[in-house]
Amino acid sequence: MAVDGERVFSKEVTAWLRRIELRTRGLVESLFSGEYRSVFKGRGMEFSDVREYQPGDDVRAIDWNVTARRGRVFIKEHVEERELSVLLIVDCSASKDFGTGLKPNVVIASEVAGILALAATDNNDRVGLLIVTDSVELYIPPDSGRSHAMRLVLDLLSFRPSGRGTKLSRALEYASKVLHQRTAVFLISDFLLGEKSDSSFMADARRFSREHDLIPIRVTDPGGATLPDVGLLALADPETGIRRVLNTSDEFVRQDYAESRLSQKTEIDGLFRQLQTDVVEVTSTEDYVLPLIRFFRRRERVT
């Protein structure tokens, strides 16, 4: 288990954990468990038992050896061999501290991760966690069980990373080394790679998606897409600490900022289209339940 940052437990963290446990448990039991199972099927079928043939059974499933021994027709029964692994990669760079919604963005990411972790463990799958900033901060290998799933959520809420920047490629490189079978990997991030773009992320994402099922979940805040017209505004980049004073009354300043943010989004969107991957769009001002349901239903139609 790799650990670079530290865990900080507080009454606020405990309160968030309880709320998340109640909400995610209810959502998984009522909505997501069946949807998850239908989308993320096992790696194949394994032999379970034999039973006597009934009209309508597939004749290709007849077990001829048992039939010959018993003098009656028997067929093989199989069950789905799951043994799936899920990895939650969560971007905890400082840009995720920004938020104009009712909940901090890190709490939204934790709730989404909690739903996916519980859905996985309810289906006897293994789920792990990787927290990344400009380096891999924490890695917990996939394991099963509800207590393990909630432990991952607690780690997300209580962990204080040592880094502040964004380097998603580091997460993909690390995951490639520790994952030894095809894995469903949910990458939860705002995908704001900064002015100095994570240039290797594009190539690493293409390579990684050939070996694993990469599913981006983009958590964004609409308030960060544009600058308000409020005159002189002092801004600090949460990742670099660089401070700037902008005249937001200048239309060209506001336009340049909006175009820069749109350019970053367009670049990432182009990558996702190339990878032909589903992107789950979650905003801090709206409930994340509907985007997750739409994702599962889209996946179900094509599987």
Side-chain angles (χ1 to χ4, degrees), residues 4 6 19 22 25 36 38 52 61 111 119 126 129 155 185-186 188 194 204 206 220 256 259 273 282 298:
D4 277 354
E6 62 176 349
R19 284 194 286 268
L22 289 173
R25 188 184 298 271
Y36 171 94
S38 65
E52 199 162 348
E111 290 193 14
R126 298 158 59 85
L129 173 67
D155 280 326
V185 178
F186 291 90
I188 305 174
D204 286 339
R206 293 188 190 98
T220 57
D256 182 64
E259 288 178 353
R273 282 194 298 272
V282 175
R298 281 197 309 271

Side-chain angles (χ1 to χ4, degrees), residues 2-20:
V3 180
D4 277 354
E6 62 176 349
R7 294 177 177 85
V8 177
F9 300 101
S10 65
K11 291 182 179 179
E12 183 182 28
V13 167
T14 302
W16 277 118
L17 180 66
R18 287 173 180 166
R19 284 194 286 268
I20 288 174

Side-chain angles (χ1 to χ4, degrees), residues 72-118:
R72 302 189 307 279
V73 179
F74 283 80
I75 66 167
K76 297 177 183 178
E77 286 191 311
H78 295 80
V79 296
E80 185 180 354
E81 182 187 7
R82 293 201 60 83
E83 293 184 359
L84 292 180
S85 289
V86 174
L87 180 64
L88 306 172
I89 299 179
V90 183
D91 168 16
C92 282
S93 58
S95 64
K96 287 181 73 262
D97 292 339
F98 177 81
T100 60
L102 297 176
K103 302 174 184 175
N105 286 2
V106 68
V107 173
I108 295 173
S110 299
E111 290 193 14
V112 171
I115 283 178
L116 297 170
L118 283 174

